[in-house]
Amino acid sequence: MEIQKLYDLDETEFEDVTIGLVRLAKNVPDHEFFFTVNQKNDLNFKRIDDLIYHGSYYDYFFPRFEAYHKFTKTCFTFISNRCSESKQKKLQTELFTGEENIKFLLNNHIEVQYILHSSEQFPDFSVILLPENLVFPIQDYTLGSEEELYQIIQYYE
């Protein structure tokens, strides 16, 4: 009698994740930005534990801010695209390692200040009212399962 496989990783399809790219019109500190966002919304964004990226030579710390929408029961998370702190683990003895003390989660989008993630399969970022004079419209961006940021978001979810 054959045993049927109930779960096969090769056959499992990973869903793409939609995130929002948030670009600020002017440079403001995190606390000022979220104070303004919290005033305009029923949401109350709070700082939570940093997202930590472990590189070969540095550990990078990315601030995260989280809030729950009461009616939709959705969790929204803003993740800073640029690390706020880096701690050197070991001395670089090689040239051109490609690792510096500043890191971006989306290297191709260094003009993005925050990455907006939702706990929903098909997120609706329009429920968050952002200050019009401070933020450009949120741009939807799809992450495939093979991308490093996708893996990081899944780990922290």
Side-chain angles (χ1 to χ4, degrees), residues 38-82:
N38 287 341
Q39 281 185 324
K40 295 181 84 47
N41 293 278
D42 290 336
L43 298 166
N44 187 18
F45 282 94
K46 295 179 182 173
R47 177 94 185 248
I48 59 172
D49 292 338
D50 288 354
L51 182 148
I52 303 171
Y53 179 91
H54 300 285
S56 300
Y57 297 99
Y58 293 92
D59 284 337
Y60 302 98
F61 298 85
F62 298 89
R64 292 188 308 156
F65 302 86
E66 187 174 81
Y68 292 94
H69 194 266
K70 294 175 187 173
F71 301 114
T72 62
K73 302 204 184 329
T74 304
C75 176
F76 291 103
T77 307
F78 278 91
I79 306 168
S80 180
N81 187 34
R82 185 177 195 255

Side-chain angles (χ1 to χ4, degrees), residues 3 27 31 33-34 41 46 52 69 71 79 81-82 84 100 105 107 122 135-136 143 145 147 151:
I3 298 175
N27 194 13
H31 66 275
F33 173 71
F34 287 103
N41 293 278
K46 295 179 182 173
I52 303 171
H69 194 266
F71 301 114
I79 306 168
N81 187 34
R82 185 177 195 255
S84 62
E100 298 178 17
L105 288 174
N107 290 324
F122 302 104
V135 179
F136 292 109
L143 290 175
S145 60
E147 295 184 56
Q151 303 297 330

